[in-house]
Amino acid sequence: MKKIVLLGATGSIGQSTIEVVKRHPDKFRIVLASAHSRIDELLLYGDEISIDHFVITGENGANESEKTNNIHHGEDTLLSMLEEIDYDIMLNAVVGSAGLKYTVAGLKTGHSIALANKESLVMAGDIITELAGKNNCRIIPVDSEHSAIMQCLEGARDKSQVRKIILTASGGPFSNLKIEAFKNITLKDALQHPTWAMGDKITIDSATMANKGLEIIEAHHLFDVAYDEIEVLIHPQSVIHSMVEYMDGSIISQLSYPDMKLPIQYALSYPDRLDASAQNTDLAKIHQLTFYKPNFEKFPLLGLAYEVGKRGGIMSTIFNAANEAAVTLFLHDKIHFTDIPKIVEKELTVSNITSPNLDTIIEKDKEIKEKIYTNY
Ligand code: NAD
Ligand code: MG
């Protein structure tokens, strides 16, 4: 029985994780579930499965009856509980930079992380991978592409035999839209993802392809591959979740219908596999798998992600913070879709800070966001 801490339980990944746990009550048990708001939704899970502790990080001041019911409030409370409670693995499904401190807290206390919060690695990949190595913890990706890559690398005898990683991307809702029409994209258009149902932030990131940019940086840190050895390939069906090309030209891939419950479950059961509720992937029915190269002109955030990744230091923290702030503004209808890459690009014309520590990273994240929110 694995004891799981589930952070971001009310989100899209969080809800799918609850489904996975419900299917395997003999394998998984949630000892703590957190959410930032919507306490009622969080508590409803307690009717379906047994959960020892609930933590709400965004609303402070528990009333007396709640306290006795194992409902806790506040970020600091959560951080100290992560030091005290007994658990095997943390599934971090918090959205955005807020997830970083929990990834660090889990690793510091020697816990492996099933990581959905890719922003942690984008902001502080060097620090996190070093901490994981030092404390003998695993970072198991929940992101479907990285779960696929991990599986495609399973048979690799030696990393030097890998020629490149091929990250597939659905291309989002605008891959066939002419660049001239981008200025007319509305929030409603951008929230319609063709193949995945996800939280708002990552849905917008998929529409701008910032998500694939974040995933390039995530892959670099998870698998220790150079940026020039990571290629993005548009694959609209989202059936091949990613591939690894070896030095002899063989390409290994992992396929399934798009369903996040699969990579979530694998991250929790790793290295074992368990049966799943997902329908079998019927290749004859899918009939065709297609591929083409991404358009860097229509999706400038993709090129900018390679650039910040290669520059290293604080640059990917700035990229992530500016993107998060711009997406928040777009979600509140304060800017146009085409402003998102412009806002990010503008923040990148700064001198770098090499080898920033965690405090510098958290401070820079805050500074960039505050600046952008003040200016718009
Ligand atoms: P979501 O918006 O649906 O849910 C986010 C969760 O985080 C909620 O439970 C919310 O209460 C919590 N949260 C929000 N702000 C917080 C804060 N400041 N502190 C603590 N908790 C906070 O997001 P999602 O789509 O489930 O995505 C979660 C993470 O997983 C993101 O990093 C995303 O990139 C990644 N991811 C998501 C998918 C997907 O299919 N949704 C796929 C791959 C990776
Ligand atoms: Mg992904």
Side-chain angles (χ1 to χ4, degrees), residues 70-116:
N70 283 347
I71 301 166
H72 314 265
H73 289 251
E75 277 181 11
D76 292 340
T77 307
L78 175 53
L79 287 168
S80 47
M81 286 178 81
L82 291 176
E83 285 178 20
E84 287 157 17
I85 62 169
D86 173 32
Y87 68 100
D88 299 305
I89 189 164
M90 170 193 293
L91 196 147
N92 187 349
V94 169
V95 62
S97 63
L100 173 61
K101 53 183 159 313
Y102 304 118
T103 301
V104 172
L107 293 173
K108 270 194 176 155
T109 45
H111 294 92
S112 288
I113 315 276
L115 190 65

Side-chain angles (χ1 to χ4, degrees), residues 19 31 45-46 49 58 82 122 142 176 178 184 210 235 241 245 264 277 289 301 307 318 322 348 357 368 375:
E19 291 304 312
V31 293
Y45 293 145
I49 51 174
L82 291 176
V122 173
V142 167
N176 295 322
K178 290 216 160 50
N184 302 323
H235 166 48
H241 297 302
E245 182 177 319
I264 290 168
S277 58
L289 299 175
L301 288 168
E307 187 188 311
I318 298 178
L348 300 178
N357 64 24
I368 296 282
N375 287 345

Side-chain angles (χ1 to χ4, degrees), residues 103-104 106-113 115 121 124-140 221-222:
T103 301
V104 172
L107 293 173
K108 270 194 176 155
T109 45
H111 294 92
S112 288
I113 315 276
L115 190 65
L121 277 173
D126 291 335
I127 293 172
I128 284 174
T129 49
E130 195 190 318
L131 191 58
K134 201 174 90 191
N135 290 354
N136 221 356
C137 310
R138 268 190 166 273
I139 301 175
I140 309 170
H221 289 294
L222 280 173

